[in-house]
Amino acid sequence: MKKNKILYAGSFDPITNGHMDIINQLSDIFSKVIVGIPEDNGKKCLFSSEQRRLLIEASISKIKNIEIREYQGLTTDFAKEENIFYLARGFRDAFDMTYEKQLAEMNSQLAPSVKTIFLQSNILNNSISSTLVRQIIQARGNFAQFVHPKAYRLIQSWR
């Protein structure tokens, strides 16, 4: 039996195959996966929140139990407001896991009723990070193998 819903929040700048792997895993476990895009996460993004939304929509078009939401403020506050009791965090390696564990511990202090679930991406996605994909995009390199084909075509149309 699937759990009710989970929030998978991130900058998704851009959404990568690694993110998609986590989303696919979550959609098998939860009835609803809310992909959250914080509008004020303090990061300097290459793509606007609207562009990131469009990239996510294009990438998840065949997954039925996904909802994309943009929000302001803390992820834990958004989760509490939406009655979401699970946060998802993905990781590629031990370095990611250390950071994600610190984030989960902080979130646990901010919202004890909201639990974090960790999922590891497929080993084929371990080298993919949004940061590296952004660098390839900015250098006008070929990033097609790191993102969904529909996201690739969208980004190419924005160049």
Side-chain angles (χ1 to χ4, degrees):
M1 181 168 142
K2 288 186 178 183
K3 295 286 185 187
N4 188 18
K5 60 185 172 180
I6 190 163
L7 172 61
Y8 181 40
S11 58
F12 304 109
D13 186 42
I15 186 167
T16 67
N17 290 339
H19 294 127
M20 287 304 302
D21 180 33
I22 299 298
I23 289 170
N24 281 309
Q25 290 181 58
L26 291 169
S27 73
D28 288 341
I29 301 168
F30 288 85
S31 298
K32 182 186 283 188
V33 178
I34 299 166
V35 177
I37 306 169
E39 293 180 345
D40 54 355
N41 64 1
K43 292 184 179 181
K44 184 175 181 341
C45 292
L46 179 61
F47 299 103
S48 70
S49 59
E50 179 58 28
Q51 286 175 313
R52 288 180 280 148
R53 173 186 269 284
L54 291 171
L55 291 170
I56 296 167
E57 286 173 354
S59 300
I60 64 160
S61 63
K62 294 190 178 189
I63 308 171
K64 301 299 179 210
N65 58 336
I66 307 294
E67 181 181 320
I68 304 166
R69 300 280 302 278
E70 296 170 36
Y71 64 93
Q72 298 280 333
L74 295 172
T75 298
T76 50
D77 289 343
F78 176 70
K80 289 187 292 189
E81 289 166 13
E82 298 294 320
N83 291 317
I84 299 169
F85 300 102
Y86 298 100
L87 300 177
R89 299 303 300 172
F91 68 95
R92 296 168 294 164
D93 54 26
F95 179 77
D96 275 357
M97 186 61 191
T98 299
Y99 169 77
E100 296 298 344
K101 185 175 179 288
Q102 290 172 339
L103 183 60
E105 289 169 356
M106 185 69 75
N107 286 341
S108 178
Q109 291 180 36
L110 292 169
S113 63
V114 179
K115 306 300 179 201
T116 300
I117 294 174
F118 298 98
L119 294 172
Q120 184 172 11
S121 66
N122 183 298
I123 195 166
L124 298 174
N125 298 316
N126 278 0
S127 65
I128 302 172
S129 76
S130 290
T131 301
L132 295 176
V133 173
R134 276 194 311 277
Q135 289 174 351
I136 295 168
I137 291 168
Q138 290 173 314
R140 297 190 132 352
N142 183 357
F143 60 96
Q145 67 269 33
F146 306 121
V147 299
H148 190 279
K150 289 181 179 179
Y152 176 78
R153 287 192 294 275
L154 259 178
I155 294 168
Q156 290 293 78
S157 75
W158 296 334
R159 286 182 160 194

Short mmCIF file of all heavy atoms in Angstrom, two decimals, residues 130-154:
data_model
loop_
_atom_site.label_atom_id
_atom_site.label_comp_id
_atom_site.label_asym_id
_atom_site.label_seq_id
_atom_site.Cartn_x
_atom_site.Cartn_y
_atom_site.Cartn_z
N SER A 130 23.35 19.12 -10.97
CA SER A 130 22.83 20.32 -11.64
C SER A 130 23.94 21.34 -11.87
O SER A 130 23.98 22.01 -12.91
CB SER A 130 21.71 20.96 -10.83
OG SER A 130 20.56 20.16 -10.86
N THR A 131 24.85 21.45 -10.91
CA THR A 131 25.95 22.41 -11.04
C THR A 131 26.79 22.11 -12.28
O THR A 131 27.08 23.01 -13.08
CB THR A 131 26.84 22.37 -9.78
OG1 THR A 131 26.04 22.70 -8.65
CG2 THR A 131 28.01 23.34 -9.90
N LEU A 132 27.15 20.84 -12.46
CA LEU A 132 27.96 20.47 -13.62
C LEU A 132 27.18 20.63 -14.92
O LEU A 132 27.72 21.09 -15.93
CB LEU A 132 28.49 19.05 -13.47
CG LEU A 132 29.48 18.83 -12.32
CD1 LEU A 132 29.86 17.36 -12.21
CD2 LEU A 132 30.72 19.69 -12.51
N VAL A 133 25.90 20.27 -14.90
CA VAL A 133 25.07 20.43 -16.10
C VAL A 133 24.95 21.90 -16.46
O VAL A 133 25.06 22.28 -17.64
CB VAL A 133 23.69 19.76 -15.91
CG1 VAL A 133 22.77 20.06 -17.09
CG2 VAL A 133 23.85 18.24 -15.74
N ARG A 134 24.76 22.77 -15.46
CA ARG A 134 24.71 24.22 -15.73
C ARG A 134 26.01 24.70 -16.39
O ARG A 134 25.99 25.51 -17.31
CB ARG A 134 24.48 25.01 -14.44
CG ARG A 134 23.05 25.13 -14.03
CD ARG A 134 22.84 26.19 -12.96
NE ARG A 134 23.73 26.13 -11.83
CZ ARG A 134 23.57 25.34 -10.77
NH1 ARG A 134 22.53 24.53 -10.71
NH2 ARG A 134 24.43 25.36 -9.78
N GLN A 135 27.13 24.21 -15.88
CA GLN A 135 28.42 24.62 -16.45
C GLN A 135 28.53 24.20 -17.91
O GLN A 135 29.02 24.96 -18.75
CB GLN A 135 29.57 24.04 -15.62
CG GLN A 135 29.70 24.68 -14.27
CD GLN A 135 30.75 24.01 -13.39
OE1 GLN A 135 31.28 22.94 -13.73
NE2 GLN A 135 31.04 24.62 -12.26
N ILE A 136 28.06 22.99 -18.22
CA ILE A 136 28.09 22.51 -19.60
C ILE A 136 27.18 23.38 -20.47
O ILE A 136 27.54 23.77 -21.57
CB ILE A 136 27.68 21.02 -19.67
CG1 ILE A 136 28.72 20.15 -18.96
CG2 ILE A 136 27.52 20.57 -21.12
CD1 ILE A 136 28.27 18.73 -18.71
N ILE A 137 25.99 23.69 -19.95
CA ILE A 137 25.04 24.53 -20.69
C ILE A 137 25.66 25.90 -20.97
O ILE A 137 25.61 26.41 -22.09
CB ILE A 137 23.71 24.67 -19.92
CG1 ILE A 137 22.97 23.34 -19.90
CG2 ILE A 137 22.84 25.77 -20.52
CD1 ILE A 137 21.80 23.28 -18.92
N GLN A 138 26.24 26.50 -19.94
CA GLN A 138 26.82 27.84 -20.09
C GLN A 138 28.01 27.85 -21.05
O GLN A 138 28.26 28.85 -21.71
CB GLN A 138 27.20 28.40 -18.73
CG GLN A 138 25.98 28.75 -17.89
CD GLN A 138 26.32 29.14 -16.46
OE1 GLN A 138 27.11 28.49 -15.80
NE2 GLN A 138 25.70 30.21 -16.00
N ALA A 139 28.71 26.71 -21.13
CA ALA A 139 29.85 26.61 -22.04
C ALA A 139 29.42 26.15 -23.44
O ALA A 139 30.27 25.91 -24.29
CB ALA A 139 30.90 25.65 -21.47
N ARG A 140 28.11 26.02 -23.62
CA ARG A 140 27.52 25.60 -24.89
C ARG A 140 27.97 24.20 -25.30
O ARG A 140 28.10 23.88 -26.48
CB ARG A 140 27.79 26.61 -25.99
CG ARG A 140 27.13 27.97 -25.67
CD ARG A 140 27.17 28.89 -26.80
NE ARG A 140 26.08 29.65 -27.30
CZ ARG A 140 24.78 29.64 -27.02
NH1 ARG A 140 24.30 28.81 -26.16
NH2 ARG A 140 23.92 30.44 -27.61
N GLY A 141 28.17 23.34 -24.29
CA GLY A 141 28.53 21.95 -24.55
C GLY A 141 27.29 21.08 -24.69
O GLY A 141 26.16 21.53 -24.52
N ASN A 142 27.52 19.81 -24.99
CA ASN A 142 26.44 18.85 -25.18
C ASN A 142 26.07 18.23 -23.84
O ASN A 142 26.85 17.47 -23.27
CB ASN A 142 26.84 17.78 -26.19
CG ASN A 142 25.72 16.81 -26.47
OD1 ASN A 142 24.64 16.90 -25.88
ND2 ASN A 142 25.97 15.88 -27.36
N PHE A 143 24.90 18.53 -23.35
CA PHE A 143 24.42 18.02 -22.06
C PHE A 143 23.24 17.06 -22.22
O PHE A 143 22.60 16.69 -21.24
CB PHE A 143 24.03 19.20 -21.15
CG PHE A 143 22.93 20.06 -21.72
CD1 PHE A 143 21.60 19.85 -21.36
CD2 PHE A 143 23.21 21.05 -22.65
CE1 PHE A 143 20.59 20.63 -21.90
CE2 PHE A 143 22.21 21.83 -23.20
CZ PHE A 143 20.89 21.61 -22.82
N ALA A 144 22.98 16.63 -23.44
CA ALA A 144 21.78 15.83 -23.74
C ALA A 144 21.67 14.57 -22.90
O ALA A 144 20.57 14.18 -22.49
CB ALA A 144 21.75 15.48 -25.22
N GLN A 145 22.77 13.92 -22.59
CA GLN A 145 22.71 12.65 -21.86
C GLN A 145 22.44 12.82 -20.37
O GLN A 145 22.22 11.84 -19.67
CB GLN A 145 24.00 11.84 -22.07
CG GLN A 145 25.24 12.45 -21.45
CD GLN A 145 26.00 13.37 -22.39
OE1 GLN A 145 25.43 14.05 -23.23
NE2 GLN A 145 27.31 13.39 -22.24
N PHE A 146 22.38 14.06 -19.89
CA PHE A 146 22.21 14.30 -18.46
C PHE A 146 20.80 14.75 -18.06
O PHE A 146 20.50 14.86 -16.87
CB PHE A 146 23.22 15.34 -17.97
CG PHE A 146 24.64 14.98 -18.31
CD1 PHE A 146 25.41 15.82 -19.08
CD2 PHE A 146 25.19 13.77 -17.87
CE1 PHE A 146 26.72 15.49 -19.41
CE2 PHE A 146 26.49 13.43 -18.20
CZ PHE A 146 27.26 14.29 -18.98
N VAL A 147 19.96 15.06 -19.04
CA VAL A 147 18.61 15.53 -18.78
C VAL A 147 17.62 14.78 -19.67
O VAL A 147 18.01 14.17 -20.66
CB VAL A 147 18.47 17.06 -19.00
CG1 VAL A 147 19.39 17.84 -18.07
CG2 VAL A 147 18.72 17.44 -20.44
N HIS A 148 16.35 14.86 -19.32
CA HIS A 148 15.29 14.26 -20.13
C HIS A 148 15.31 14.89 -21.53
O HIS A 148 15.55 16.10 -21.65
CB HIS A 148 13.94 14.51 -19.43
CG HIS A 148 12.81 13.76 -20.03
ND1 HIS A 148 12.16 14.19 -21.16
CD2 HIS A 148 12.21 12.60 -19.64
CE1 HIS A 148 11.21 13.33 -21.46
NE2 HIS A 148 11.22 12.36 -20.55
N PRO A 149 15.03 14.12 -22.57
CA PRO A 149 15.05 14.68 -23.93
C PRO A 149 14.14 15.91 -24.11
O PRO A 149 14.52 16.86 -24.81
CB PRO A 149 14.57 13.52 -24.81
CG PRO A 149 14.93 12.30 -24.03
CD PRO A 149 14.79 12.67 -22.58
N LYS A 150 12.99 15.92 -23.48
CA LYS A 150 12.10 17.09 -23.61
C LYS A 150 12.70 18.31 -22.92
O LYS A 150 12.57 19.43 -23.40
CB LYS A 150 10.72 16.78 -23.03
CG LYS A 150 9.92 15.81 -23.88
CD LYS A 150 8.56 15.56 -23.26
CE LYS A 150 7.74 14.60 -24.11
NZ LYS A 150 6.42 14.34 -23.51
N ALA A 151 13.37 18.10 -21.78
CA ALA A 151 14.03 19.21 -21.09
C ALA A 151 15.19 19.72 -21.95
O ALA A 151 15.40 20.93 -22.06
CB ALA A 151 14.53 18.77 -19.72
N TYR A 152 15.90 18.82 -22.57
CA TYR A 152 17.01 19.20 -23.45
C TYR A 152 16.51 20.10 -24.58
O TYR A 152 17.08 21.17 -24.85
CB TYR A 152 17.70 17.96 -24.02
CG TYR A 152 18.79 18.28 -25.00
CD1 TYR A 152 20.04 18.70 -24.56
CD2 TYR A 152 18.59 18.18 -26.38
CE1 TYR A 152 21.07 19.00 -25.45
CE2 TYR A 152 19.59 18.48 -27.28
CZ TYR A 152 20.82 18.89 -26.80
OH TYR A 152 21.83 19.20 -27.69
N ARG A 153 15.42 19.70 -25.23
CA ARG A 153 14.88 20.48 -26.33
C ARG A 153 14.40 21.86 -25.86
O ARG A 153 14.62 22.86 -26.55
CB ARG A 153 13.75 19.71 -27.03
CG ARG A 153 14.26 18.55 -27.87
CD ARG A 153 13.20 17.97 -28.78
NE ARG A 153 12.12 17.32 -28.08
CZ ARG A 153 12.12 16.06 -27.65
NH1 ARG A 153 13.20 15.30 -27.84
NH2 ARG A 153 11.08 15.56 -27.03
N LEU A 154 13.80 21.92 -24.68
CA LEU A 154 13.36 23.21 -24.14
C LEU A 154 14.55 24.14 -23.91
O LEU A 154 14.53 25.30 -24.31
CB LEU A 154 12.62 23.01 -22.82
CG LEU A 154 11.12 23.05 -22.83
CD1 LEU A 154 10.57 22.79 -21.43
CD2 LEU A 154 10.59 24.35 -23.37
#
